[in-house]
Amino acid sequence: MRALLIVAHGSRRKESNEEVRRLAARIKENAGPAFSEVASAFLEISSPQIDSAVADLVKEGAEEIKVFPYFLAAGTHVVDDIPKQIAEAEATYPDVQFELLPHLGGLQGISTLILNQVYHGTPLNPDLAALATD
């Protein structure tokens, strides 16, 4: 089974953590056959944290886990903390293939997404119409 794990910072504000969980649920709804499971995890403050979320996914049968850092900038959490925790998961679960994906702010289409939203879904460049967001 292939799984996607969305990793966010975690917040004392319950609504913020729920927003991440809702995002994971929407992605799962739209993933089709790409991912059997989509889960969220947090680095701090909230749960589940990465190790627990990985353990749950492995228990559910995940053989491949793609980890998506839901962070805008490549700060210490993206550059050091998340890779360290994924390395620990790789050591704990050697039969599971892990892939650390680029963080949100590092995605190639992020500037287009922002422009589409700023201009209310009307792209500046008509060739980008296919990138309209929900």
Side-chain angles (χ1 to χ4, degrees):
M1 165 177 86
R2 184 179 314 151
L4 174 64
L5 181 60
I6 300 169
V7 178
H9 186 274
S11 175
R12 287 178 190 81
R13 187 172 178 269
K14 180 181 174 184
E15 294 83 359
S16 177
N17 300 322
E18 286 302 318
E19 184 178 333
V20 174
R21 292 182 184 104
R22 284 191 306 273
L23 173 65
R26 283 195 317 268
I27 291 172
K28 183 176 180 178
E29 288 174 11
N30 293 312
F35 296 103
S36 299
E37 186 61 48
V38 178
S40 58
F42 302 93
L43 276 174
E44 302 175 351
I45 303 167
S46 191
S47 60
Q49 295 196 344
I50 295 172
D51 58 346
S52 295
V54 167
D56 289 345
L57 290 171
V58 171
K59 192 183 303 181
E60 292 174 23
E63 298 168 335
E64 178 183 345
I65 300 174
K66 294 185 182 286
V67 180
F68 177 63
Y70 190 55
F71 290 78
L72 286 177
T76 301
H77 289 318
V78 169
V79 173
D80 297 326
D81 299 338
I82 295 172
K84 179 182 175 196
Q85 290 192 36
I86 297 308
E88 291 170 3
E90 288 172 325
T92 303
Y93 305 103
D95 295 333
V96 176
Q97 178 185 353
F98 290 87
E99 180 182 357
L100 184 56
L101 302 169
H103 65 286
L104 176 63
L107 296 178
Q108 191 170 15
I110 194 74
S111 60
T112 302
L113 175 68
I114 291 168
L115 283 171
N116 275 347
Q117 291 303 300
V118 168
Y119 287 97
H120 307 288
T122 305
L124 296 176
N125 180 342
D127 295 334
L128 300 179
L131 298 176
T133 58
D134 58 13

